[in-house]
């Protein structure tokens, strides 16, 4: 009795604070009316419609904005061969990148792993500055700097205010050309390299991609390991790194790109940083030759997954059909199984519809990597071990389906999605900066987004057919990592693909 | 100090050099008796020495600890190293990366943030 009156008293107090007349004014007990409702009821008795399309009298007319001018790309080559490319932008921030067209493909047996080490030596101590000073200098200009080494280049990227761009570029050049390579610096980099190697066992898709490269390019050049092998890392010395830098970094391989920095200013910055680099003719990397093959790598005992990749020879960056290949990749699509299947999901790319409906497939997507003269194309998937053979069958079926052509609707959708992702990516200055540098590296000139989009619009089903036929004519490369006991053999896969 | 400035620079520094050499040879003789290097007996609680010790290779660290244990053993037995073994020791060998540790500490301590 006492408790119920206490409850009702507190309830009434709450309602009184809320200002409600009563909780029974509406037949639905979930709807509680408040004082605001009364205001609306009163003011809606004489409705006055003021459409938002007519301006209120007495307000100044808004001036229509002027469309931004199409940004201009400018390219300059310095006297020693360093190339500078920039795109104008009205943004207050600058994105800059420095590319050395070296990477793991130019490593020799003696310098194996140097690119990976250089990635971890970046923005640490240089010959003149300590790590502490380098970090504080970057912080002082509010900059953000990263470095990454891949198979065909080592990239140093940074962003800061456009007014501070020269200072950041000087720091980037300093760390790229003159990293400090004493024992302590090498030990610190070694710890990071070994950490990467240890973590790679947990990165299934990355391991599969590396395995596909290793077997497709016979372990050399593009097939050389991206991560420094741990036995090599333990004995890596500063001398090896400086030899690698001396042998592979030539002015003709240096590209400076930026968005949001005036071209003339960028050229000055590049001259200040690289102007006195002596030109040299580094040994060009051997052209990568693709071969089919298999690489099945057993994973840790408790992995519980199999990561699979089935690939074929793709197209190099300079190939005329590169955009058609990109359209095929979009058409195949793919992603995580969480987003797949079921009514209302609406994801229509082929891998979603034909591969990811299967319960055992955890994720699957199309793979398309291109280097200067060659590339890899295929489908990767992650699956539970007992669904391995079913998944491989589905992947093979999907790859063979490329031969049977594509409907107009599917082609149009794939082209539009590719164009959309192209433009969406070009909204990001960092990506534009990377695009500038890489296009200069591969083509020697830059194709704007609009040019690429126009070329995409011209793609026909016949183009896709031609590219698919070319893809499927090469021997497949099959890689698997994890619980590989249920993986079908390479010969089974090859005969299934040829059937 | 200030008083010595009135003498000729070369005389003072020659005297100092003689004194320093006498002191160094005496120290080296004592250290050699126990099989130690000079950098073995530096104050291990000094921040630079601590940082430098953390950067030693496992081999150097192990050798240092063995030298220290051997010296403690010799001291407790009121004994000293044999003359042949003493002759092999280079007391002034620098194996601790102290310069870099000191540079880093001083740079950090003296850093003035002026945005």
């Amino acid at each position: 009795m006492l408790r119920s009156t206490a409850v009702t008293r507190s309830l009434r107090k709450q309602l009184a604070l809320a200002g409600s007349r009563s909780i029974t004014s509406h037949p639905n007990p979930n709807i509680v009316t408040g004082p605001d409702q009364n205001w609306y009821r009163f003011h809606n008795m004489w409705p006055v419609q003021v459409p938002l399309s007519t301006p209120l009298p007495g307000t100044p007319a808004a001036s229509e904005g002027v469309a931004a001018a199409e940004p201009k790309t400018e390219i300059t080559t310095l006297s020693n061969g360093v190339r500078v490319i920039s795109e104008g932008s009205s943004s207050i921030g600058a994105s800059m990148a420095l590319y050395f067209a070296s990477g793991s493909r130019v490593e020799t047996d003696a310098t194996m792993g140097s690119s990976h080490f250089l990635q971890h030596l970046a923005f640490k101590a240089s010959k003149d500055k300590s790590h502490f000073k380098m970090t504080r200098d970057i912080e002082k200009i509010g900059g953000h700097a990263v470095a990454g080494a891949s198979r065909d280049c080592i990239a140093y990227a940074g962003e800061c205010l456009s007014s501070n761009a020269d200072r950041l570029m000087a720091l980037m050049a300093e760390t790229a050309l003159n990293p400090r390579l004493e024992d302590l610096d090498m030990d610190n980099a070694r710890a990071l390299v070994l950490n990467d190697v240890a973590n790679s066992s947990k990165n299934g898709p990355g391991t599969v991609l590396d395995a596909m490269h290793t077997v497709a390019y016979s372990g050399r050049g593009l097939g050389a390991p991206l991560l420094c092998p741990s036995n090599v890392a333990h004995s890596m010395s500063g001398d090896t790194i400086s030899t690698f830098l001396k042998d592979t970094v030539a002015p003709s391989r240096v590209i400076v790109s930026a968005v949001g920095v005036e071209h003339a200013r960028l050229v000055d910055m590049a001259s200040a940083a690289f102007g006195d680099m002596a030109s040299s003719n580094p040994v060009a990397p051997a052209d990568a030759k693709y071969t089919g093959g298999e690489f099945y790598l057993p994973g840790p005992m408790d992995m519980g997954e199999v990561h699979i990749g089935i690939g074929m020879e793709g197209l190099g960056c300079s190939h005329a059909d590169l955009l058609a290949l990109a359209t095929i990749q979009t058409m195949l699509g793919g992603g995580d199984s969480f987003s797949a299947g079921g009514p209302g999901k609406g994801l229509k790319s082929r891998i979603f519809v034909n591969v990811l409906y299967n319960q055992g497939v955890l994720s699957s997507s199309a793979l398309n990597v291109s280097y200067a003269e060659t590339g890899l194309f295929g489908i990767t998937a992650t699956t539970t071990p007992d669904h391995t053979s079913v998944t491989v069958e589905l992947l093979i079926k999907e790859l063979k389906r490329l031969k049977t052509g594509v409907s107009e609707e599917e082609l149009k959708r794939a082209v539009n999605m590719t164009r959309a992702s192209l433009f969406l990516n070009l909204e990001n200055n960092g990506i534009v900066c990377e695009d500038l540098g890489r296009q200069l590296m591969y083509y020697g000139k830059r194709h704007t987004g609009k040019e690429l989009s126009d070329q995409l619009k011209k793609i026909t089903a016949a183009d896709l057919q031609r590219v698919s036929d070319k893809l499927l004519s090469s021997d497949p490369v099959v890689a698997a990592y994890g619980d590989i006991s249920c993986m079908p053999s390479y010969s089974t896969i090859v005969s299934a693909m040829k059937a | 100090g200030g008083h010595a400035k009135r003498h000729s620079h070369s005389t003072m520094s020659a005297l100092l050099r003689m004194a320093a050499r006498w002191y160094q040879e005496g120290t080296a003789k004592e250290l050699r008796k126990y099989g130690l290097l000079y950098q073995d007996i530096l104050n291990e609680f000094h921040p630079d020495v601590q940082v430098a010790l953390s950067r030693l290779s496992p081999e150097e660290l192990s050798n240092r600890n063995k030298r220290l244990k051997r010296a403690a053993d010799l001291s407790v037995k009121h004994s000293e190293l044999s003359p042949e073994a003493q002759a092999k020791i280079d007391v002034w060998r620098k194996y601790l990366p102290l310069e870099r540790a000191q540079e880093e500490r001083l740079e950090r301590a003296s850093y003035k943030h002026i945005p």
Side-chain angles (χ1 to χ4, degrees), chain B residues 2 8-9 14-17 20 28 39-40 42 44 47 51 55 58 60 70-71 80 89 94 100 103 109 111 115:
Chain B
S8 150
H9 185 63
L15 280 173
L16 277 174
R17 276 200 296 276
Q39 292 200 321
D40 290 342
L42 292 176
E44 69 264 28
V51 167
R55 291 175 179 171
E60 281 284 7
R70 179 179 66 181
E80 58 180 68
I89 294 170
K94 289 184 167 28
R100 187 152 173 184
E103 262 176 43
Y111 183 75

Side-chain angles (χ1 to χ4, degrees), chain A residues 125 129-133 136-137 140 180 182-185 187-188, chain B residues 51 55-57 97 100 103-104 107-109 111-115:
Chain A
K129 288 193 205 302
S130 67
H131 183 188
F132 174 74
K133 184 121 206 318
R136 286 288 182 267
D137 282 350
K140 256 197 227 186
R180 200 182 294 186
E182 288 168 23
D183 285 343
L184 174 64
D185 311 285
D187 285 340
N188 289 338
Chain B
V51 167
R55 291 175 179 171
L56 277 183
S57 70
R100 187 152 173 184
E103 262 176 43
E104 291 177 359
E107 183 178 33
R108 206 176 273 265
Y111 183 75
K112 281 185 168 29
H113 173 62
I114 301 164

Side-chain angles (χ1 to χ4, degrees), chain B:
Chain B
H3 170 73
K5 274 198 193 124
R6 271 193 240 127
H7 297 267
S8 150
H9 185 63
S10 60
T11 316
M12 202 54 220
S13 47
L15 280 173
L16 277 174
R17 276 200 296 276
M18 273 168 48
R21 202 167 52 236
W22 169 82
Y23 184 72
Q24 277 173 11
E25 280 170 15
T27 314
K29 189 148 154 282
E30 276 303 303
L31 284 171
R32 243 179 258 122
K33 276 196 225 164
Y34 293 105
L36 287 171
L37 307 183
Y38 182 71
Q39 292 200 321
D40 290 342
I41 61 168
L42 292 176
N43 175 17
E44 69 264 28
F45 298 105
H46 190 281
D48 291 344
V49 176
Q50 282 178 323
V51 167
L53 282 173
S54 72
R55 291 175 179 171
L56 277 183
S57 70
E59 196 191 338
E60 281 284 7
L61 192 61
S62 159
N63 286 342
R64 170 195 157 94
N65 289 335
K66 285 176 186 165
R67 285 194 297 272
L68 290 168
K69 277 170 80 173
R70 179 179 66 181
D73 181 83
L74 290 168
S75 159
V76 110
K77 290 172 182 167
H78 295 281
S79 154
E80 58 180 68
L81 220 50
S82 70
E84 305 84 42
Q86 284 192 36
K88 285 193 201 154
I89 294 170
D90 173 17
V91 170
W92 305 110
R93 180 169 77 89
K94 289 184 167 28
Y95 65 89
L96 278 178
L98 285 170
E99 299 80 16
R100 187 152 173 184
Q102 181 181 43
E103 262 176 43
E104 291 177 359
R105 179 176 57 90
L106 292 177
E107 183 178 33
R108 206 176 273 265
S110 65
Y111 183 75
K112 281 185 168 29
H113 173 62
I114 301 164

